[in-house]
Amino acid sequence: MLQADRMWTGAHVLTMEPGEDIIKNGAVAVKDNRIVAVGTSTELAKTVQAVETIDAGGKLIMPGLIDAHIHSSYAVIRGVAQDMDHWMQKGIWPWMKYMSVEDRLAGSRMNLIEGIRAGTTTFADYDREMDSLLDQNASLGVRIHAAEMINELPDDVGDLPVTELYPLDREAGERRLKAGTDLYDKWHGAENGRITVLLGPQGPDMMSLDLLQRTKAEAEKRGVRMHMHVCQGDRELYQLEKRYKKRSIAFLDEQGLLNEQLTAAHLTEANDEETAYAASKGVNMIHCPGSIGIIDGIVPPVQAFLKAGGKAAIGTDQAPGNNSSNMFQEIKAAAVLNKVKAGDPKVFPARQALHMATLGAAEVHGLDREIGSLRTGKKADFIVVNLATPALTPALTNPVDTITPNLVYAASGEEVEDVIVDGRYVMRERKLVHADEAEAVNRAQQRAERLAQKVTF
Amino acid sequence: MLQADRMWTGAHVLTMEPGEDIIKNGAVAVKDNRIVAVGTSTELAKTVQAVETIDAGGKLIMPGLIDAHIHSSYAVIRGVAQDMDHWMQKGIWPWMKYMSVEDRLAGSRMNLIEGIRAGTTTFADYDREMDSLLDQNASLGVRIHAAEMINELPDDVGDLPVTELYPLDREAGERRLKAGTDLYDKWHGAENGRITVLLGPQGPDMMSLDLLQRTKAEAEKRGVRMHMHVCQGDRELYQLEKRYKKRSIAFLDEQGLLNEQLTAAHLTEANDEETAYAASKGVNMIHCPGSIGIIDGIVPPVQAFLKAGGKAAIGTDQAPGNNSSNMFQEIKAAAVLNKVKAGDPKVFPARQALHMATLGAAEVHGLDREIGSLRTGKKADFIVVNLATPALTPALTNPVDTITPNLVYAASGEEVEDVIVDGRYVMRERKLVHADEAEAVNRAQQRAERLAQKVTF
């Protein structure tokens, strides 16, 4: 008999393995931090001996959601900038000027808790002061694929007119590149592999060519990808055309960055030709439909990217300007926004949207050997969803599967009962195991109130 | 001193009265089923004597949400039809053929519970077998603005080819018109006014001209509006052009239906000129962004309608093809989908989206003298929302209001703690007062499983 620590039985199991349907009366067995068996409860009853067996009747077990792009610390200013032009310069920068590490820590803690409560098990957190954020957040128990945002902007950039070239501050750039490489050296592989690190240049517009190339060299030296904003708004194209007389994709191609080592967030302003070209070069794409919809009024060209054979994932981006970090909201937004962009209800079916938040997202970040689907040998990262809720009823698998579309189009996130990462509970019966939610919320509120007294427009 | 039964104090109060900002440290006092005072806690402490005072510190009190268009019974087949062409004929009709009153009752009960849990206090339920639905649902305690769907389609229409004219069944039409007027006579004003009834022709394509005119006459006789699908899809225009050689708006204009007594759902296929014309004639519009986005891949022309001076509300439509009846999802969908349609982040700001789910929705249904905002004299329909949650933090009112955008762009619905209708709790601390949620969910699941065994494609 196969030995397991825990086995969940009697559940619907949605493995998200390509081509696999939902397993009825399914079971998942875990030993240490890995899945040791997935199948029907009947099969596993014969082959697995578990220390503890958990009756998951009426539940769905599925891979934990992967938020492929989040700036968690910005949640401390959730709600300060929507429904406006020049979101970054006029909405965010006035607040950023005053954001301290303590503010960021408070925002980040709360934001990760928000994500966990809606089923996120892996956060591709791309932020500042990441070393401090990891010091604080590692104990939450979730998986974090972290990158320090590296740029060369002065610390007081907040007052810059919209139409000018960003000034670059060489010293600040050096400091941030070092923070990025130090982060890797200190954290990559920490917490039994729950923490992984890649390099994170903030965008081709926000740094000198020299710093961009040196960041690339540091990533190559460590064999990790780069998480970077690309074509993230008309502001980026404006800066690049002014500085290099090139659009982002052509510039990055010339600089040797357009390849499978680049995980590009947004592509908001890339035209279909540039998008297809990037996909053909092996670039990976992150689609943030809620954030870019609210900030720019645009549906990024993810359909063109996928059509050209590229891999894409879904991310929630930052809370001031989405404003949610609930992946269920994001999955629905991706499906619906892309349907209306195409004028075709068949586009972006539910299963595809869910793929881009599970196995597809793991592929985009190069983590698919370990997470993203429920398969023997993979890390035990999954969520237990209560199907006996109004939004997920009826749960049918025949003659049609209603479970997958209801997850995508109807779930609010509240249906997630348990969150398991590395085989250990992070949330159980909607209660965070390693965090005091009320304390985290209160702290973020207090820090935001202090910021609100300083900010000027 | 003003006498009150209950007073909530210490809350943020969002009245949704035009031009009014959020009241900090606000209070709401209720006697019987009406609001008797709204203001700051300090003011009301001096003027109101309440039997019970409830500390609502850290909460937001706001008008209950109004779901302006829902077919509640269809929730029994939630999830059976998305990501497809010919949604109605190929997705829904094969199931409708077998739907019994018992099936509909089970779906409706669960759907209203879903809505209540996300803060809906008024349901403009537009459905079949409405008399039975009201018999069952009146005791839930919510407000229902009901219409029997009147059409002239045969009961077994399910097998009709997509390209043929619908056959009309005079006897079925008579039966349904009578059900609609009987519903009014029996239910209008029932439950101390919580139940109101209007007439509900299902669409200009689904009935003869004669039945449409007779329905209109019955509505006029009773002084009530008509709730009707208009331009709800290319299928409607196809039928009308084939039958009358006219598009829907021109046809309804000719027939004297384009006026303030018409509450038109969708306008999916109306062009901007037709839309503006309908608005100029006083027609009211219901916008169902999630449903029409999923079913048709279209953002209906609500911006053109509003620009022409029309009034519009938001509705969730039916669960097979949204699939959610959570108004917070719908409000966000309305804002984001309309931003991307316009290519402008300033379009459809948060406050406007919320207006269309509260006071604006009450106006669209002619209920604004009684509900839709928190004002002395109006019915006591409101919700208590926990602001101390990740999605709604930080809650600031200065220098910017973060509460309104976070409600619209971040709330999942789970933040709603209490739902009060007519001064009485319908949900308290997230527990339904007048319904057994688990029983309702289980019943819908059982009925759906029976249906699934009958249906054929």
Side-chain angles (χ1 to χ4, degrees), chain A residues 297-339:
Chain A
I298 291 173
V299 184
V302 66
Q303 291 174 61
F305 194 86
L306 293 167
K307 206 171 163 185
K311 287 186 164 65
I314 293 172
T316 64
D317 214 349
Q318 74 291 296
N322 183 344
N323 302 343
S324 164
S325 306
N326 177 326
M327 280 293 289
F328 282 103
Q329 288 195 21
E330 219 51 36
I331 292 165
K332 181 170 185 173
V336 182
L337 284 165
N338 281 290
K339 285 179 197 304

Side-chain angles (χ1 to χ4, degrees), chain B residues 247-266:
Chain B
R247 288 169 60 87
S248 304
I249 297 295
F251 169 73
L252 292 172
D253 193 25
E254 183 184 79
Q255 294 300 322
L257 272 85
L258 275 197
N259 55 49
E260 61 286 344
Q261 293 303 103
L262 178 63
T263 299
H266 303 324

Side-chain angles (χ1 to χ4, degrees), chain A residues 83 117 339 409 414 445, chain B residues 83 117 339 395 409 414 445:
Chain A
D83 308 330
R117 290 182 60 82
K339 285 179 197 304
Y409 297 121
E414 186 188 357
Q445 176 69 23
Chain B
D83 309 328
R117 289 181 61 81
K339 285 179 199 302
Y409 298 121
E414 185 188 358
Q445 175 70 22

Side-chain angles (χ1 to χ4, degrees), chain B residues 274-353:
Chain B
E274 292 169 327
T275 302
Y277 183 69
S280 76
K281 300 288 276 185
V283 171
N284 298 287
M285 174 176 179
I286 300 161
H287 179 49
C288 300
S291 157
I292 304 301
I294 294 170
I295 292 171
D296 298 303
I298 290 174
V299 184
V302 67
Q303 292 174 61
F305 194 85
L306 293 167
K307 204 170 165 186
K311 288 185 165 65
I314 294 172
T316 64
D317 214 349
Q318 73 291 297
N322 182 345
N323 302 341
S324 164
S325 305
N326 177 327
M327 280 292 288
F328 281 103
Q329 288 196 19
E330 219 52 35
I331 293 166
K332 181 170 186 174
V336 182
L337 284 165
N338 281 290
K339 285 179 199 302
V340 305
K341 182 172 183 174
D344 183 352
K346 299 185 300 303
V347 159
F348 245 85
R351 172 86 181 207
Q352 179 181 345

Side-chain angles (χ1 to χ4, degrees), chain B residues 191-421:
Chain B
E191 300 282 331
N192 200 20
R194 271 200 297 109
I195 314 292
T196 48
V197 177
L198 73 170
L199 273 288
Q202 196 176 342
D205 53 333
M206 297 194 183
M207 58 208 311
S208 65
L209 179 52
D210 175 62
L211 189 68
L212 179 62
Q213 280 294 353
R214 286 174 52 217
T215 305
K216 173 173 178 277
E218 295 289 352
E220 284 168 356
K221 201 161 81 184
R222 289 166 178 80
V224 296
R225 297 184 180 181
M226 294 207 297
H227 188 169
M228 180 160 77
H229 293 131
V230 177
C231 299
Q232 77 161 319
D234 51 8
R235 56 190 182 271
E236 177 185 315
L237 294 184
Y238 177 82
Q239 295 280 324
L240 283 192
E241 286 182 356
K242 205 154 174 178
R243 208 179 305 146
Y244 306 116
K245 307 212 182 326
K246 288 213 166 55
R247 288 169 60 87
S248 304
I249 297 295
F251 169 73
L252 292 172
D253 193 25
E254 183 184 79
Q255 294 300 322
L257 272 85
L258 275 197
N259 55 49
E260 61 286 344
Q261 293 303 103
L262 178 63
T263 299
H266 303 324
L267 298 183
T268 311
E269 293 285 343
N271 60 39
D272 282 358
E273 193 183 327
E274 292 169 327
T275 302
Y277 183 69
S280 76
K281 300 288 276 185
V283 171
N284 298 287
M285 174 176 179
I286 300 161
H287 179 49
C288 300
S291 157
I292 304 301
I294 294 170
I295 292 171
D296 298 303
I298 290 174
V299 184
V302 67
Q303 292 174 61
F305 194 85
L306 293 167
K307 204 170 165 186
K311 288 185 165 65
I314 294 172
T316 64
D317 214 349
Q318 73 291 297
N322 182 345
N323 302 341
S324 164
S325 305
N326 177 327
M327 280 292 288
F328 281 103
Q329 288 196 19
E330 219 52 35
I331 293 166
K332 181 170 186 174
V336 182
L337 284 165
N338 281 290
K339 285 179 199 302
V340 305
K341 182 172 183 174
D344 183 352
K346 299 185 300 303
V347 159
F348 245 85
R351 172 86 181 207
Q352 179 181 345
L354 212 51
H355 172 77
M356 286 170 58
T358 53
L359 185 58
E363 290 170 352
V364 158
H365 278 299
L367 302 170
D368 52 304
R369 280 188 311 169
E370 296 284 35
I371 60 169
S373 62
L374 303 183
R375 200 175 70 195
T376 299
K378 281 197 174 183
K379 298 279 177 74
D381 287 14
F382 56 89
I383 59 179
V384 181
V385 179
N386 186 6
L387 291 175
T389 51
L392 298 181
T393 299
L396 303 175
T397 52
N398 190 36
V400 292
D401 164 24
T402 62
I403 296 173
T404 307
N406 287 339
L407 280 169
V408 170
Y409 298 121
S412 68
E414 185 188 358
E415 302 82 2
V416 177
E417 290 191 338
D418 304 319
V419 174
I420 290 105
V421 176

Side-chain angles (χ1 to χ4, degrees), chain A residues 75-85 95 110-111 113-114 117 289-290 292-299 319 322-324 326 329-330 332 335-337 339-351 387-396 398-403 405-406 408-414 430 437-438 440-442 444-445 448-449 452-453 455 457, chain B residues 75-85 95 110-111 113-114 117 289-290 292-299 319 322-324 326 329-330 332 335-337 339-351 387-396 398-403 405-406 408-414 430 437-438 440-442 444-445 448-449 452-453 455 457:
Chain A
V76 74
I77 53 167
R78 184 201 308 274
V80 303
Q82 315 76 26
D83 308 330
M84 66 189 299
D85 282 329
W95 294 79
M110 178 179 71
N111 208 34
I113 290 173
E114 179 191 5
R117 290 182 60 82
I292 304 301
I294 293 170
I295 292 172
D296 299 303
I298 291 173
V299 184
N322 183 344
N323 302 343
S324 164
N326 177 326
Q329 288 195 21
E330 219 51 36
K332 181 170 185 173
V336 182
L337 284 165
K339 285 179 197 304
V340 305
K341 181 171 184 175
D344 182 352
K346 299 186 298 305
V347 159
F348 245 84
R351 173 85 181 205
L387 292 174
T389 53
L392 298 181
T393 299
L396 302 175
N398 190 37
V400 290
D401 164 24
T402 63
I403 295 173
N406 287 339
V408 170
Y409 297 121
S412 68
E414 186 188 357
R430 294 206 63 64
E437 183 181 345
V441 166
N442 184 52
Q445 176 69 23
E449 288 178 10
Q453 290 177 348
V455 74
F457 292 96
Chain B
V76 73
I77 53 167
R78 183 201 310 272
V80 304
Q82 314 76 27
D83 309 328
M84 65 188 300
D85 282 329
W95 294 79
M110 179 179 70
N111 208 32
I113 290 172
E114 179 190 6
R117 289 181 61 81
I292 304 301
I294 294 170
I295 292 171
D296 298 303
I298 290 174
V299 184
N322 182 345
N323 302 341
S324 164
N326 177 327
Q329 288 196 19
E330 219 52 35
K332 181 170 186 174
V336 182
L337 284 165
K339 285 179 199 302
V340 305
K341 182 172 183 174
D344 183 352
K346 299 185 300 303
V347 159
F348 245 85
R351 172 86 181 207
L387 291 175
T389 51
L392 298 181
T393 299
L396 303 175
N398 190 36
V400 292
D401 164 24
T402 62
I403 296 173
N406 287 339
V408 170
Y409 298 121
S412 68
E414 185 188 358
R430 293 206 63 64
E437 182 181 344
V441 165
N442 184 53
Q445 175 70 22
E449 287 178 9
Q453 290 176 346
V455 73
F457 292 97

